[in-house]
C-alpha cells in the first residue's frame, strides 16, 4: 500500500463565504511519490488564478516552476502557485530501463475534468471523487484516472485520517488499436 503522507487544504477567503480548496502544488508531489516510491518529483506548476494581460483568467497558463530545492516557490517568486487550480504539471525522475541505466526525467500535465464532493450531516466525514486527464509529454500518451478520497475527523484528538484510491484507464483509441490488432502481431 502507498505510504502515509500529509495533505494540505487552504481556506478560501473569497466573497462567496469562503470554503476550502486542495493545495495541488503541495499535495500532488506527495501523492505521486507515495504511489510510486521509486520516483522523485523535481518541479511542480499549477494554473491557479493565472491572469492574462487584460486581467481575465486563463486556465491554460501555468505558474513558473517551483523546484524541490525551493527555487521559484516563494510567494514573491510565484504568487499563484498555491491558488485554487484545476491543472498541475510535474517533472519527475526515476530509475529507467535504459541501456546506460541511471535516472530518467519525464514530465506530465494533469487536468481535472470534473469532481464531486459530499459530506455527512455532522461534517465529520468528507468524500470527494475527481476525474483527471494525464498527458505524459515524453511518451506522447494521454491516460485518464479517477481519484477517490475519504477523510474522517477523529473524535479523540481532532485529527483527520483518510484514504485515497486511484484507478487508471487507457484512452479508448488504445483499446481499439489493441482490439483491431494494429501492427500485425497476434
Amino acid at each position: 500500500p502507498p505510504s502515509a503522507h500529509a495533505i494540505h487544504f487552504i481556506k478560501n477567503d473569497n466573497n462567496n463565504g469562503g470554503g476550502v480548496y486542495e493545495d495541488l502544488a503541495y499535495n500532488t508531489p506527495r501523492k505521486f511519490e507515495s504511489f510510486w516510491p521509486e520516483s522523485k518529483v523535481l518541479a511542480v506548476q499549477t494554473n491557479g488564478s493565472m491572469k492574462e494581460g487584460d486581467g481575465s483568467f486563463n486556465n491554460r497558463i501555468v505558474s513558473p516552476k517551483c523546484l524541490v530545492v525551493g527555487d521559484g516557490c516563494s510567494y514573491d517568486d510565484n504568487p499563484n502557485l498555491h491558488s485554487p487550480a484545476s491543472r498541475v504539471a510535474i517533472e519527475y525522475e526515476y530509475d529507467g530501463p535504459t541501456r546506460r541505466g541511471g535516472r530518467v526525467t519525464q514530465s506530465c500535465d494533469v487536468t481535472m475534468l470534473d469532481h464531486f464532493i459530499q459530506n455527512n450531516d455532522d461534517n465529520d466525514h468528507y468524500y470527494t471523487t475527481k476525474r483527471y486527464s494525464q498527458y505524459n509529454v515524453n511518451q506522447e500518451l494521454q491516460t485518464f484516472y479517477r481519484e477517490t478520497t475519504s477523510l474522517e475527523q477523529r473524535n479523540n484528538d481532532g485529527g483527520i485520517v483518510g484514504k485515497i484510491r486511484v484507478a487508471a484507464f487507457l484512452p479508448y483509441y488504445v483499446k481499439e488499436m489493441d482490439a483491431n490488432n494494429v501492427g500485425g502481431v497476434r
Side-chain angles (χ1 to χ4, degrees):
S3 59
H5 61 280
I7 57 175
H8 283 181
F9 290 86
I10 298 174
K11 185 173 185 199
N12 190 359
D13 294 323
N14 63 19
N15 295 335
N16 298 328
V20 297
Y21 62 91
E22 183 176 5
D23 183 354
L24 291 180
Y26 180 88
N27 294 346
T28 301
R30 283 149 186 84
K31 288 179 187 178
F32 191 86
E33 291 173 1
S34 174
F35 281 92
W36 189 12
E38 296 81 13
S39 70
K40 177 66 179 164
V41 174
L42 304 175
V44 63
Q45 299 170 274
T46 71
N47 70 339
S49 299
M50 298 306 293
K51 293 185 179 181
E52 295 277 8
D54 64 1
S56 63
F57 289 102
N58 185 339
N59 287 337
R60 293 175 301 202
I61 300 174
V62 292
S63 64
K65 284 185 181 179
C66 167
L67 305 176
V68 292
V69 294
D71 295 344
C73 301
S74 71
Y75 183 81
D76 290 337
D77 292 337
N78 210 339
N80 297 313
L81 181 66
H82 298 281
S83 296
S86 61
R87 181 176 168 206
V88 63
I90 60 172
E91 190 173 295
Y92 56 94
E93 67 178 10
Y94 61 95
D95 287 324
T98 63
R99 291 181 185 178
R100 291 178 284 143
R103 305 294 277 176
V104 173
T105 301
Q106 291 198 350
S107 300
C108 69
D109 193 326
V110 179
T111 301
M112 186 185 325
L113 301 174
D114 61 36
H115 69 284
F116 173 76
I117 301 170
Q118 179 181 357
N119 58 316
N120 68 348
D121 292 336
D122 296 330
N123 286 324
D124 59 355
H125 288 77
Y126 170 86
Y127 309 94
T128 181
T129 299
K130 300 174 187 172
R131 200 167 50 95
Y132 293 96
S133 167
Q134 177 175 313
Y135 181 68
N136 294 302
V137 177
N138 305 81
Q139 298 171 351
E140 296 183 358
L141 175 67
Q142 181 181 21
T143 58
F144 299 90
Y145 67 94
R146 179 172 292 139
E147 175 188 285
T148 301
T149 304
S150 62
L151 302 172
E152 178 180 350
Q153 186 170 7
R154 296 184 301 210
N155 292 331
N156 57 352
D157 65 358
I160 297 174
V161 295
K163 295 180 182 177
I164 299 173
R165 303 278 187 228
V166 177
F169 306 95
L170 282 174
Y172 291 110
Y173 71 87
V174 173
K175 293 178 188 177
E176 289 173 6
M177 285 175 23
D178 288 346
N180 293 329
N181 190 25
V182 171
V185 177
R186 289 193 182 253

